[in-house]
Amino acid sequence: MIANYHTHTMRCKHAFGTDEEYVLEAIKHGYKTLAFTDHSPWPLHPFELASIRMDISELAEYADSIQLLKKKYKDEIDIKLGLEAEYFEDRMEWLVRMKELFEMDLLIFGNHFHQKITHGTYYAFYNDTEQVLDHYKTDSLAGLKSGLFSIFAHPDIFARSIRVWDDKAEDMSREIINCAKEQGVYLEFNLGGLRSHAGYPYLPFWKVVSQEKAPTIIGIDAHSPSDLSDVRSISEAKRILKELNIQVTEKIAD
Ligand SMILES: [Zn+2]
Ligand SMILES: [Zn+2]
């Protein structure tokens, strides 16, 4: 791996290690680019919790910390600042403002929740199994077409909420895969899911990616510095993608 665009920090409450430890691990293992894209905070609605993301009050400190590391290690590695964010229609203006305010380099699309952050609207364990595909499609297409995101993280996360891979699931997948292709957004083969056997990457989805020849990138989804050097999941991913005849982009254009 020479680049990783999906790196968390301990501010999200389920990742480990200091920001600098991620940078040092990346340098040690030959990365040329490391993008920090921690789970975005949001202005919260009543009953929403920031339990898997930084608090909104931590955003400035996060940005400062990454910008300092960017300067400190500029001769050894290209550090980028970003966030992994959902598409919440009512809050996108805020996100765009934050991107500008903190001079972020990129945003990646983590379509985790539909409209609100609640247990039932988490796409990996969606309550409304009748409508999960429709809702996922709506949010995915809106996010992809927004022009805000460079990478669609774990685009197959919805697979955990469906019982069968039927025509409807395949058609929906093809539509979002082709939308990503049209918009020039990379589909991420997510190693966080691979490491934890989470049910994604979901191979029927990736077979469609292969058929449509959509742009693909591997994302470490690092929640610990050691994830950056987890040879087992990295080589497993490369083997699967090769078998599926999927071309992988290693580094995206600035
Ligand atoms: Zn996470
Ligand atoms: Zn992530």
Side-chain angles (χ1 to χ4, degrees):
M1 298 283 289
I2 56 163
N4 176 49
Y5 300 91
H6 194 162
T7 312
H8 292 282
T9 78
M10 55 166 77
R11 295 169 191 80
C12 74
K13 308 172 184 81
H14 60 278
F16 308 91
T18 65
D19 302 344
E20 192 159 18
E21 282 168 332
Y22 284 90
V23 174
L24 294 172
E25 186 75 1
I27 293 169
K28 186 174 162 193
H29 293 276
Y31 287 81
K32 302 285 177 241
T33 302
L34 183 70
F36 283 90
T37 44
D38 205 0
H39 293 284
S40 181
W42 287 105
L44 298 177
H45 291 311
F47 311 113
E48 284 186 324
L49 288 175
S51 52
I52 58 141
R53 59 191 69 243
M54 68 181 82
D55 292 324
I56 206 163
S57 60
E58 293 173 285
L59 183 55
E61 181 275 326
Y62 164 67
D64 287 350
S65 169
I66 306 307
Q67 300 288 18
L68 271 176
L69 290 168
K70 186 189 278 203
K71 288 198 189 90
K72 182 170 176 185
Y73 292 98
K74 69 175 184 338
D75 295 330
E76 285 146 283
I77 191 166
D78 180 18
I79 303 282
K80 295 189 185 299
L81 169 65
L83 288 168
E84 176 184 17
E86 289 80 8
Y87 185 84
F88 292 144
E89 200 175 2
D90 59 344
R91 291 172 261 188
M92 295 318 275
E93 275 175 35
W94 175 86
L95 184 64
V96 172
R97 272 210 316 280
M98 293 305 112
K99 180 174 186 270
E100 283 168 14
L101 182 62
F102 295 109
E103 298 178 339
M104 293 184 199
D105 301 298
L106 81 166
L107 297 173
I108 71 169
F109 185 22
N111 190 11
H112 301 106
F113 293 94
H114 178 55
Q115 293 175 345
K116 275 188 226 151
I117 305 163
T118 70
H119 289 297
T121 52
Y122 178 39
Y123 277 121
F125 299 106
Y126 209 65
N127 270 357
D128 187 350
T129 49
E130 286 290 306
Q131 295 200 79
V132 62
L133 291 172
D134 292 330
H135 292 170
Y136 193 76
K137 180 169 102 172
T138 303
D139 290 338
S140 296
L141 297 181
L144 289 167
K145 289 175 182 171
S146 70
L148 292 172
F149 301 109
S150 310
I151 293 172
F152 190 178
H154 43 63
D156 45 351
I157 195 171
F158 69 92
R160 294 179 77 176
S161 295
I162 58 172
R163 283 190 211 92
V164 286
W165 179 259
D166 54 13
D167 285 350
K168 187 172 180 189
E170 184 165 327
D171 290 348
M172 189 281 292
S173 298
R174 199 175 299 281
E175 201 170 332
I176 62 176
I177 287 163
N178 278 317
C179 182
K181 191 174 157 183
E182 280 160 28
Q183 299 293 327
V185 177
Y186 291 90
L187 297 169
E188 180 206 55
F189 194 85
N190 184 277
L191 298 200
L194 199 68
R195 287 191 305 273
S196 59
H197 306 282
Y200 64 89
Y202 187 68
L203 293 189
F205 179 92
W206 289 94
K207 283 182 184 151
V208 184
V209 175
S210 172
Q211 289 162 6
E212 301 301 329
K213 300 191 174 21
T216 298
I217 195 157
I218 293 173
I220 300 279
D221 199 356
H223 285 80
S224 160
S226 63
D227 292 338
L228 293 165
S229 52
D230 184 54
V231 178
R232 194 172 151 165
S233 55
I234 294 167
S235 45
E236 169 86 345
K238 290 187 173 173
R239 184 187 62 75
I240 295 169
L241 290 164
K242 199 175 170 195
E243 266 174 32
L244 288 169
N245 198 23
I246 293 175
Q247 284 302 83
V248 179
T249 299
E250 293 208 59
K251 195 176 176 305
I252 63 176
D254 282 329

